[in-house]
Amino acid sequence: MSNEIYEIPPSKRGHLPVKLLYVTKSKYGKDWYSINHTHHFTELLYITKGKGTFIYSNKEVSIKEYDLIVINPNIEHTEKSSSDYPLEYIVLGIQGLAFSAADDPGSQVSFFNYKQEHDITLFLQQLMKEVLNQKEDYELIIENILEIVLLKMMRTKNFSLEKTSSEKISKDMAYIKNYIKQHFREEINLDTLAEVGHINKYYLSHSFKKAFGVSPIEYLIQMRIRESKILLETTNYPISNISAITGFSSQSFFAQSFKRVTNMSPSQYRNTKNSKKSKPRKAQTKQ
């Protein structure tokens, strides 16, 4: 019988100061829009299938299967897919770290290929599986998988990690919130807000909810409901007109949203307010 024991020494490195903001899995289709955008965190984009180009700083770089692109904060970029071999990729949004290549310290975007190193692919697939299944403690598992991926990248590729500040995040969310206040009557969706703010829509959704407690779309609906209440109380406009004025795509969606927020239909709300106004005030008795 052979029995070998390997003693594990204490780690010389503490846990990485990194937070996983979001994970997405994308595939090129007819609804794909290549819009230049930026974000104030680091993004890892790993190509699982297909080929195309990555565009940043007036550069256009060919990308293919097993390529991993590291995009540092505040870099305007986008990607385009080949029509004959559509792109598929996994994206990780990471807060707290930026990448610095040893041979190019000021690099904005770094490109690596892991065709010969399949463990990175396996770890990212496992991370994606945990996100999709969302079993107990999956958040802890994906944070640890991310740290493993980063450490393995550092072991095989010549770059280092640097801490980054997230001060500008709150300013971005404040800008988006103010934009919604000013334009809630217009046709707005998550893609619109992402384009206006020049930030990734998944990051936008996560950060806005973290900052204000609701998603950007829910906040948009709240603004529209607030305006519709005023119109229901102060005008005789038909409900269909109020729905259109406040930016709802249809009267049925307006009614559905209004009832969800107020527990009343628009008609019930108007009748309740009107009945309170029409009630005569009781005369006060002099003592």
Side-chain angles (χ1 to χ4, degrees), residues 62-81:
S62 296
I63 53 177
K64 59 186 182 302
E65 192 172 357
Y66 303 117
D67 277 351
L68 187 144
I69 301 100
V70 179
I71 308 108
N72 275 335
N74 308 313
I75 306 304
E76 188 169 291
H77 64 278
T78 190
E79 58 279 342
K80 290 185 179 179
S81 176

Side-chain angles (χ1 to χ4, degrees), residues 136-166:
E136 186 178 0
D137 295 325
Y138 83 97
E139 303 96 334
L140 183 60
I141 291 174
I142 62 176
E143 289 282 354
N144 281 284
I145 293 176
L146 170 62
E147 190 163 2
I148 292 171
V149 168
L150 293 174
L151 291 172
K152 279 188 166 289
M153 288 171 61
M154 292 173 66
R155 179 188 290 175
T156 58
K157 305 298 181 183
N158 194 18
F159 66 84
S160 59
L161 300 175
E162 300 174 352
K163 290 184 179 180
T164 59
S165 171
S166 58

Side-chain angles (χ1 to χ4, degrees), residues 20-272:
L20 185 60
L21 297 176
Y22 62 82
V23 182
T24 66
K25 188 175 183 181
S26 299
K27 181 178 181 180
Y28 176 82
K30 291 182 179 179
D31 58 344
W32 181 299
Y33 299 100
S34 295
I35 301 172
N36 284 348
H37 62 281
T38 63
H39 33 66
H40 304 290
F41 55 91
T42 297
E43 199 171 62
L44 302 184
L45 190 154
Y46 185 69
I47 310 299
T48 55
K49 284 185 182 180
K51 61 181 181 180
T53 57
F54 186 86
I55 303 166
Y56 73 103
S57 301
N58 297 319
K59 299 178 183 177
E60 190 162 345
V61 180
S62 296
I63 53 177
K64 59 186 182 302
E65 192 172 357
Y66 303 117
D67 277 351
L68 187 144
I69 301 100
V70 179
I71 308 108
N72 275 335
N74 308 313
I75 306 304
E76 188 169 291
H77 64 278
T78 190
E79 58 279 342
K80 290 185 179 179
S81 176
S82 166
S83 58
D84 58 336
Y85 196 16
L87 278 175
E88 296 183 32
Y89 53 72
I90 296 172
V91 181
L92 309 182
I94 303 172
Q95 181 179 307
L97 291 176
F99 289 66
S100 178
D103 56 349
D104 187 9
S107 60
Q108 301 171 324
V109 179
S110 300
F111 298 85
F112 307 103
N113 186 271
Y114 285 92
K115 186 175 183 179
Q116 304 302 323
E117 300 159 41
H118 294 295
D119 53 348
I120 293 292
T121 303
L122 294 175
F123 279 121
L124 289 174
Q125 288 174 342
Q126 184 61 39
L127 189 150
M128 197 74 233
K129 183 178 179 181
E130 288 290 336
V131 171
L132 293 173
N133 293 334
Q134 296 192 9
K135 293 183 179 180
E136 186 178 0
D137 295 325
Y138 83 97
E139 303 96 334
L140 183 60
I141 291 174
I142 62 176
E143 289 282 354
N144 281 284
I145 293 176
L146 170 62
E147 190 163 2
I148 292 171
V149 168
L150 293 174
L151 291 172
K152 279 188 166 289
M153 288 171 61
M154 292 173 66
R155 179 188 290 175
T156 58
K157 305 298 181 183
N158 194 18
F159 66 84
S160 59
L161 300 175
E162 300 174 352
K163 290 184 179 180
T164 59
S165 171
S166 58
E167 292 178 2
K168 200 168 183 290
I169 292 176
S170 59
K171 294 180 181 178
D172 290 336
M173 296 307 106
Y175 174 79
I176 294 297
K177 185 177 182 181
N178 187 61
Y179 181 88
I180 293 174
K181 285 182 178 179
Q182 299 296 324
H183 301 272
F184 68 87
R185 297 178 185 85
E186 302 170 15
E187 185 176 346
I188 293 177
N189 55 36
L190 199 56
D191 288 318
T192 307
L193 297 174
E195 185 175 358
V196 165
H198 299 286
I199 51 181
N200 181 282
K201 67 179 180 180
Y202 302 102
Y203 160 71
L204 164 61
S205 183
H206 170 88
S207 298
F208 193 97
K209 188 168 185 178
K210 183 179 179 181
F212 304 115
V214 294
S215 71
I217 298 305
E218 182 61 27
Y219 181 73
L220 171 64
I221 290 173
Q222 289 178 4
M223 289 297 301
R224 289 171 172 172
I225 295 297
R226 191 179 306 170
E227 178 75 2
S228 68
K229 284 181 176 180
I230 295 172
L231 294 174
L232 287 168
E233 292 179 40
T234 60
T235 74
N236 292 320
Y237 294 161
I239 290 174
S240 59
N241 287 16
I242 293 176
S243 169
I245 291 170
T246 53
F248 283 96
S249 57
S250 67
Q251 184 176 339
S252 60
F253 182 55
F254 168 52
Q256 177 187 347
S257 301
F258 194 95
K259 189 163 188 177
R260 178 174 60 83
V261 173
T262 66
N263 290 322
M264 286 187 283
S265 70
S267 297
Q268 288 172 331
Y269 182 86
R270 171 175 270 170
N271 292 337
T272 300

